[in-house]
Amino acid sequence: MSSPPLLFDRALHRRRLDRAAAGYRSADFLKVRAAQDAAARLEPILRDFPLAVDLGARNGAFAAALAESPAAARVGHLIETDLSAAMLAGRPGPRLVVDEERLTFAPESLDLIVSTLALHWTNDLVGALIQIRRALKPDGLFIGAFLGGSSLTELRQCLLEAESSLTGGAALRVSPFADGFDGAGLLQRAGFALPVSDVDRLTVRYGNPLRLLADLRAMGETNVLLDRSRKPLTRSVLMRAMALYQERFAGPDGKVPASFEIITVTGWAPHESQQKPLKPGSARMRLADALGVAEQPLPEGRPGEEPTI
């Protein structure tokens, strides 16, 4: 089998995160939202998770959300990891520098793995999910969130059009993201049981589109495509893109929207105790009996016709 293509420059991504670490909290609203959602998903699960990992912890948003949740009583030790050592600096508790593409945890050693808004930068997302599943004990839980395909659609459109119109060609300036409908399928391909996926779409409004760019830089979420243009974005292209953004998307109050899509998935490491779908033909009751209605035969059609209902 061929290896998946390399899309992202992981070394550059680490440097961008290192640079963003000091000011990350000023733009952590997406991280906080995803972390709070992950903590909320743990609340109805009435079981203990003695050893848990936050993969791609950044500034510790999940630990903070968990501390405010009733689920905290059921999570024992939480290990925070990140690709960037600078992101982990200065906080209490166990912390490890870990590359999400090369997990170092022993097989079947963890009860819970949570990862919010970090995995969309992996070159092989399915491969990363397989490593996560292998690190979980049987019946261990994974909760993950990553940015989906419609994120930053306004910015993407304006940058492409501005650069194309001024230079005659356009490079990818915004990284591609996974399709929101692929979440459960990705977990199935990685061998998870009972996969669930849903999408949270939100719109953030800015007084000026340049503020969006500043937030992306503060998040460490700027372009690290290997196939990115090595030519920096010129001022003329940037100003044209910002003008297009304002003209096309500004509301009556002059503010512009920025669309984000957060795909959240949950899956379990397989275990024999888990529910399994019945085999086709194994039902012991007719549907009509279950519904309490009389079964009606299909009407007969004329020769050569399909019966209609």
Side-chain angles (χ1 to χ4, degrees):
M1 295 179 65
S2 60
S3 299
L6 294 179
L7 298 175
F8 304 116
D9 185 336
R10 296 284 293 175
L12 177 59
H13 182 45
R14 185 197 300 267
R15 294 196 297 272
R16 296 277 174 83
L17 291 174
D18 288 343
R19 182 185 67 187
Y24 186 84
R25 194 168 299 278
S26 67
D28 66 352
F29 56 92
L30 291 177
K31 185 74 169 179
V32 169
R33 186 183 182 102
Q36 290 175 343
D37 181 70
R41 289 167 190 265
L42 283 173
E43 291 176 6
I45 302 174
L46 302 180
R47 55 170 290 181
D48 292 335
F49 299 97
L51 187 58
V53 163
D54 181 4
L55 196 63
R58 303 295 188 262
N59 65 339
F62 175 69
L66 184 63
E68 300 294 324
S69 167
R74 298 191 294 276
V75 177
H77 298 287
L78 177 65
I79 302 170
E80 292 185 313
T81 80
D82 205 276
L83 183 64
S84 164
M87 282 288 184
L88 298 171
R91 292 205 305 278
R95 289 157 290 151
L96 291 172
V97 175
V98 171
D99 186 338
E100 294 88 1
E101 292 189 338
R102 297 176 180 84
L103 299 190
T104 55
F105 302 106
E108 299 186 2
S109 61
L110 303 172
D111 302 284
L112 169 69
I113 297 177
V114 174
S115 182
T116 55
L117 304 188
L119 292 176
H120 55 272
W121 289 115
T122 56
N123 284 296
D124 180 7
L125 180 53
V126 173
L129 291 172
I130 289 172
Q131 292 183 64
I132 289 170
R133 191 253 303 161
R134 288 174 175 169
L136 287 169
K137 296 176 182 178
D139 209 29
L141 175 63
F142 169 63
I143 301 176
F146 43 90
L147 291 179
S150 66
S151 297
L152 300 174
T153 182
E154 304 90 353
L155 179 62
R156 192 189 314 271
Q157 294 174 36
C158 294
L159 285 172
L160 283 172
E161 181 169 335
E163 190 166 17
S164 179
S165 63
L166 293 179
T167 69
L172 280 177
R173 301 287 182 177
V174 179
S175 297
F177 300 114
D179 190 312
F181 296 102
D182 289 345
L186 287 170
L187 289 188
Q188 288 179 320
R189 288 173 60 192
F192 281 94
L194 309 175
V196 176
S197 173
D198 55 68
V199 179
D200 176 19
R201 295 182 176 90
L202 64 148
T203 301
V204 181
R205 295 174 61 77
Y206 288 92
N208 186 304
L210 288 172
R211 286 300 312 154
L212 167 62
L213 299 185
D215 273 358
L216 293 175
R217 183 181 176 91
M219 295 175 191
E221 293 286 331
T222 50
N223 185 13
V224 294
L225 283 168
L226 276 171
D227 196 27
R228 67 192 182 279
S229 173
R230 279 358 188 219
K231 296 179 180 179
L233 197 64
T234 65
R235 180 177 178 81
S236 60
V237 170
L238 178 61
M239 290 301 100
R240 178 57 181 154
M242 296 300 96
L244 286 172
Y245 206 133
Q246 196 76 40
E247 292 167 10
R248 293 187 176 177
F249 299 108
D253 58 358
K255 293 183 177 181
V256 296
S259 298
F260 293 96
E261 182 180 76
I262 300 176
I263 304 168
T264 302
V265 296
T266 60
W268 297 82
H271 188 266
E272 60 184 11
S273 67
Q274 293 166 348
Q275 293 179 339
K276 296 177 177 62
L278 294 175
K279 296 179 179 179
S282 62
R284 298 182 180 179
M285 177 182 290
R286 297 185 307 162
L287 179 60
D289 293 339
L291 297 176
V293 298
E295 185 174 12
Q296 300 292 330
L298 291 174
E300 294 184 2
R302 291 192 298 272
E305 286 186 346
E306 292 291 332
T308 58
I309 299 176

